[in-house]
Amino acid sequence: QVQLVESGGGLVQAGGSLRLSCAASGSIFSINGMGWYRQAPGKQRELVAVITSGGTTNYADSVKGRFTISRDNAKNTVSLQMNSLKPEDTAVYYCKAVITIATNVFTSYQYWGQGTQVTVSS
């Protein structure tokens, strides 16, 4: 019913930039929080940045000042601009959204994208 599709990952040198995008589609009534998480090999998935429907943002300490999350409510998209990338930013990045679907407006569900690989070389 609902899909999240990410794009924009890739290989970049340390100090470089990448922009990730995530588009939600399907039977969407409304989207509440949206965010980006990442998982490095052998590590647990961790929060990178989240944004509410009103635009309030929160970032992991490790990315503050380097990453910027934004969303377009009209297009049901969320983006992550990543600057000054470091090798430790290497991970699979996942988009997450809390969505109220059109067929059940009394409940919200969490949806995840399939993940996109970000590799930062030193």
Side-chain angles (χ1 to χ4, degrees):
Q1 285 181 317
V2 172
Q3 259 194 324
L4 298 182
V5 178
E6 299 129 336
S7 60
L11 172 65
V12 65
Q13 287 189 333
S17 299
L18 281 175
R19 184 177 180 84
L20 305 182
S21 296
C22 173
S25 62
S27 301
I28 296 170
F29 178 77
S30 65
I31 302 179
N32 304 314
M34 303 186 81
W36 290 93
Y37 293 72
R38 67 187 181 187
Q39 187 166 18
K43 295 189 177 181
Q44 289 190 332
R45 192 172 297 188
E46 63 177 3
L47 179 148
V48 176
V50 292
I51 185 168
T52 68
S53 57
T56 300
T57 59
N58 190 32
Y59 296 91
D61 288 342
S62 59
V63 307
K64 281 180 182 177
R66 301 188 297 122
F67 291 9
T68 302
I69 189 170
S70 60
R71 64 187 283 175
D72 185 330
N73 291 331
K75 296 181 178 179
N76 291 337
T77 59
V78 62
S79 297
L80 185 69
Q81 178 65 42
M82 304 185 293
N83 299 328
S84 301
L85 282 160
K86 304 175 181 180
E88 51 263 44
D89 294 319
T90 295
V92 178
Y93 283 70
Y94 296 91
C95 170
K96 189 184 90 169
V98 179
I99 296 174
T100 301
I101 61 175
T103 54
N104 185 358
V105 300
F106 301 107
T107 305
S108 297
Y109 300 90
Q110 290 186 10
Y111 293 88
W112 291 88
Q114 79 285 358
T116 185
Q117 178 70 47
V118 171
T119 302
V120 185
S121 63
S122 56

